[in-house]
Amino acid sequence: MDRIRIKGGRPLSGDILIGGAKNAALPLMAAGLLTEERLELGNVPRLADIDTMAALLAQHGIAVEPDGRTLRLGGRITNSVAPYDIVRKMRASVLVLGPLLARVGEARVSLPGGCAIGTRPVDLHLKGLEQMGAAIRLDAGYIHASAPERLRGATIVFPFVSVGATENLMMAATLADGETVLVNAAREPEIGDLAACLTAMGARIEGIGTDRLTIQGVDRLHGARHAILPDRIETGTYACAAAITGGSVRLVGARLEYLGAVARVLRDAGVEIEEQPDALVVRRLNGLHGTDAMTEPYPGFPTDMQAQFMALMAVAEGAAMVTETIFENRFMHVPELNRMGARINVHGASAIVRGVAGLSGAPVMATDLRASVSLVLAGLAARGETVVNRVYHLDRGYESVERKLAACGADITREAG
Ligand code: EPZ
């Protein structure tokens, strides 16, 4: 297994190109199941998860042809089974469920199971599809779903915000008979991007960007071209890299509007963020000060930025309270950061971070995508050498992280393990 070796203490300086959003690309690829015509997606990031979704679609009969950062999807659905050996690698595979039911009236999708950060159930996806007329049965670790009659529109009220359930049910509703209303829908920018692409494919969706989506089902969707929005989590991650090293980095392609609460919290902590026409310049000239953050659905502080922000607060002056409200086990970066000299205490869903003057490099273990990158950030700031093991987690969500950081002056290399 590959590992990343970092010698810390160098302020970053230079440009970093921000790629297309992983968490938009994955549902957008699943939308390729909704039409036999060609769907062309631009600005697709080169990530392990994208390859996994492409493999999943291919075994459904949807060919995925790469052309640089463009993916062309097209084909007829020949198989409605999403097998365990693919789904277990990537939970977002469950996003084929709604499109398969809408197109061919049946689907057998492996239950995604839990992952490092939580049990990650899909009950909201299944209950919503049942309300739309699907028959759902769980057997031998698989979801057996059928809708011999066409799915029918329904009013679905989510008891709490779910990104994936909103995406699955919005896609299913585009081809259902009648009107579907999703109440308490997720409002993440990736949902808006998916809705924009579905609309380009002929779907009829109102309320995009709000927590109430109204979808009028149509008989069929046609092909379209869609460029994926920039990745706000990659943006926030590299903003933290600039801040934790006391550097100045230009994030090319980043858009302030998608950063939501991340920009506010970083500015409160003493990070400067300057908006340019096609970039954000992030710099930290003076000290960092401890600032509280609580993860919430968009437009709140994103859970996918919690680990990165905690690494930053580990070297701030004063204390910060970081509260995780979305996932039940998303503090696995804490013991690793503490091994580097951080002073973080976890009490239930909250962690108190007492800033220290500096961290010291150490061999550390990556456990999940965002925890991995928080260890890279800590390594960039630490005295001495840090080795981050199991970087396959990183490759799921960050394209060429060591190359992008090295281009800004970081002493960082990847070693085959
Ligand atoms: C998406 O996961 C993202 N993944 C996650 O990013 C992100 O952390 C999460 O949204 C929250 O923003 C993709 O978009 C591919 P949820 P998702 O449904 O859809 C519970 C990353 O690092 N829940 O909004 O799975 C769930 O357990 C990844 O890029 C149910 O109980 O998240 C969680 O506690 C990690 N039942 C909460 O809701 C359900 O049916 C929010 O989950 C669905 C979810």
PDB file of all heavy atoms in Angstrom, residues 310-323:
ATOM      1  N   MET A 310     -10.001  20.637  11.899  1.00  0.00           N
ATOM      2  CA  MET A 310      -9.446  20.273  13.215  1.00  0.00           C
ATOM      3  C   MET A 310      -7.917  20.300  13.174  1.00  0.00           C
ATOM      4  O   MET A 310      -7.266  20.781  14.106  1.00  0.00           O
ATOM      5  CB  MET A 310      -9.927  18.887  13.634  1.00  0.00           C
ATOM      6  CG  MET A 310      -9.675  18.622  15.111  1.00  0.00           C
ATOM      7  SD  MET A 310     -10.242  17.014  15.608  1.00  0.00           S
ATOM      8  CE  MET A 310     -11.996  17.287  15.709  1.00  0.00           C
ATOM      9  N   ALA A 311      -7.332  19.841  12.077  1.00  0.00           N
ATOM     10  CA  ALA A 311      -5.868  19.902  11.949  1.00  0.00           C
ATOM     11  C   ALA A 311      -5.406  21.355  12.022  1.00  0.00           C
ATOM     12  O   ALA A 311      -4.409  21.683  12.683  1.00  0.00           O
ATOM     13  CB  ALA A 311      -5.433  19.261  10.636  1.00  0.00           C
ATOM     14  N   LEU A 312      -6.154  22.235  11.381  1.00  0.00           N
ATOM     15  CA  LEU A 312      -5.781  23.660  11.388  1.00  0.00           C
ATOM     16  C   LEU A 312      -5.874  24.227  12.800  1.00  0.00           C
ATOM     17  O   LEU A 312      -4.978  24.931  13.272  1.00  0.00           O
ATOM     18  CB  LEU A 312      -6.714  24.430  10.442  1.00  0.00           C
ATOM     19  CG  LEU A 312      -6.437  25.909  10.250  1.00  0.00           C
ATOM     20  CD1 LEU A 312      -5.084  26.137   9.587  1.00  0.00           C
ATOM     21  CD2 LEU A 312      -7.546  26.557   9.401  1.00  0.00           C
ATOM     22  N   MET A 313      -6.943  23.873  13.509  1.00  0.00           N
ATOM     23  CA  MET A 313      -7.137  24.404  14.866  1.00  0.00           C
ATOM     24  C   MET A 313      -6.096  23.843  15.839  1.00  0.00           C
ATOM     25  O   MET A 313      -5.831  24.442  16.880  1.00  0.00           O
ATOM     26  CB  MET A 313      -8.552  24.085  15.357  1.00  0.00           C
ATOM     27  CG  MET A 313      -9.636  24.888  14.634  1.00  0.00           C
ATOM     28  SD  MET A 313      -9.488  26.680  14.923  1.00  0.00           S
ATOM     29  CE  MET A 313      -8.612  27.202  13.453  1.00  0.00           C
ATOM     30  N   ALA A 314      -5.490  22.713  15.468  1.00  0.00           N
ATOM     31  CA  ALA A 314      -4.487  22.114  16.365  1.00  0.00           C
ATOM     32  C   ALA A 314      -3.283  23.038  16.558  1.00  0.00           C
ATOM     33  O   ALA A 314      -2.577  22.945  17.571  1.00  0.00           O
ATOM     34  CB  ALA A 314      -4.030  20.776  15.800  1.00  0.00           C
ATOM     35  N   VAL A 315      -3.056  23.944  15.582  1.00  0.00           N
ATOM     36  CA  VAL A 315      -1.893  24.855  15.687  1.00  0.00           C
ATOM     37  C   VAL A 315      -2.341  26.304  15.814  1.00  0.00           C
ATOM     38  O   VAL A 315      -1.557  27.228  15.581  1.00  0.00           O
ATOM     39  CB  VAL A 315      -0.951  24.688  14.470  1.00  0.00           C
ATOM     40  CG1 VAL A 315      -0.312  23.297  14.475  1.00  0.00           C
ATOM     41  CG2 VAL A 315      -1.672  24.939  13.156  1.00  0.00           C
ATOM     42  N   ALA A 316      -3.610  26.512  16.186  1.00  0.00           N
ATOM     43  CA  ALA A 316      -4.110  27.884  16.380  1.00  0.00           C
ATOM     44  C   ALA A 316      -3.819  28.336  17.808  1.00  0.00           C
ATOM     45  O   ALA A 316      -3.494  27.526  18.676  1.00  0.00           O
ATOM     46  CB  ALA A 316      -5.616  27.930  16.105  1.00  0.00           C
ATOM     47  N   GLU A 317      -3.915  29.643  18.038  1.00  0.00           N
ATOM     48  CA  GLU A 317      -3.770  30.144  19.411  1.00  0.00           C
ATOM     49  C   GLU A 317      -5.122  30.012  20.101  1.00  0.00           C
ATOM     50  O   GLU A 317      -6.154  30.404  19.533  1.00  0.00           O
ATOM     51  CB  GLU A 317      -3.362  31.632  19.379  1.00  0.00           C
ATOM     52  CG  GLU A 317      -1.931  31.856  18.885  1.00  0.00           C
ATOM     53  CD  GLU A 317      -1.788  33.226  18.200  1.00  0.00           C
ATOM     54  OE1 GLU A 317      -2.593  34.136  18.527  1.00  0.00           O
ATOM     55  OE2 GLU A 317      -0.909  33.342  17.334  1.00  0.00           O
ATOM     56  N   GLY A 318      -5.106  29.431  21.304  1.00  0.00           N
ATOM     57  CA  GLY A 318      -6.363  29.302  22.010  1.00  0.00           C
ATOM     58  C   GLY A 318      -7.050  27.989  21.687  1.00  0.00           C
ATOM     59  O   GLY A 318      -6.460  27.085  21.088  1.00  0.00           O
ATOM     60  N   ALA A 319      -8.327  27.903  22.044  1.00  0.00           N
ATOM     61  CA  ALA A 319      -9.046  26.625  21.926  1.00  0.00           C
ATOM     62  C   ALA A 319     -10.164  26.744  20.887  1.00  0.00           C
ATOM     63  O   ALA A 319     -10.646  27.841  20.580  1.00  0.00           O
ATOM     64  CB  ALA A 319      -9.632  26.247  23.287  1.00  0.00           C
ATOM     65  N   ALA A 320     -10.547  25.580  20.359  1.00  0.00           N
ATOM     66  CA  ALA A 320     -11.671  25.515  19.409  1.00  0.00           C
ATOM     67  C   ALA A 320     -12.521  24.318  19.778  1.00  0.00           C
ATOM     68  O   ALA A 320     -11.996  23.250  20.115  1.00  0.00           O
ATOM     69  CB  ALA A 320     -11.146  25.371  17.979  1.00  0.00           C
ATOM     70  N   MET A 321     -13.823  24.490  19.707  1.00  0.00           N
ATOM     71  CA  MET A 321     -14.753  23.368  19.919  1.00  0.00           C
ATOM     72  C   MET A 321     -15.252  22.932  18.548  1.00  0.00           C
ATOM     73  O   MET A 321     -15.805  23.746  17.803  1.00  0.00           O
ATOM     74  CB  MET A 321     -15.933  23.831  20.778  1.00  0.00           C
ATOM     75  CG  MET A 321     -17.049  22.821  20.885  1.00  0.00           C
ATOM     76  SD  MET A 321     -16.692  21.572  22.106  1.00  0.00           S
ATOM     77  CE  MET A 321     -17.204  22.430  23.592  1.00  0.00           C
ATOM     78  N   VAL A 322     -15.018  21.672  18.206  1.00  0.00           N
ATOM     79  CA  VAL A 322     -15.472  21.140  16.913  1.00  0.00           C
ATOM     80  C   VAL A 322     -16.521  20.067  17.180  1.00  0.00           C
ATOM     81  O   VAL A 322     -16.250  19.081  17.868  1.00  0.00           O
ATOM     82  CB  VAL A 322     -14.291  20.554  16.113  1.00  0.00           C
ATOM     83  CG1 VAL A 322     -14.770  19.993  14.786  1.00  0.00           C
ATOM     84  CG2 VAL A 322     -13.221  21.630  15.880  1.00  0.00           C
ATOM     85  N   THR A 323     -17.728  20.290  16.673  1.00  0.00           N
ATOM     86  CA  THR A 323     -18.833  19.365  16.930  1.00  0.00           C
ATOM     87  C   THR A 323     -19.296  18.710  15.640  1.00  0.00           C
ATOM     88  O   THR A 323     -19.539  19.406  14.645  1.00  0.00           O
ATOM     89  CB  THR A 323     -20.003  20.133  17.579  1.00  0.00           C
ATOM     90  OG1 THR A 323     -19.517  20.748  18.780  1.00  0.00           O
ATOM     91  CG2 THR A 323     -21.156  19.194  17.931  1.00  0.00           C
TER      92      THR A 323
END
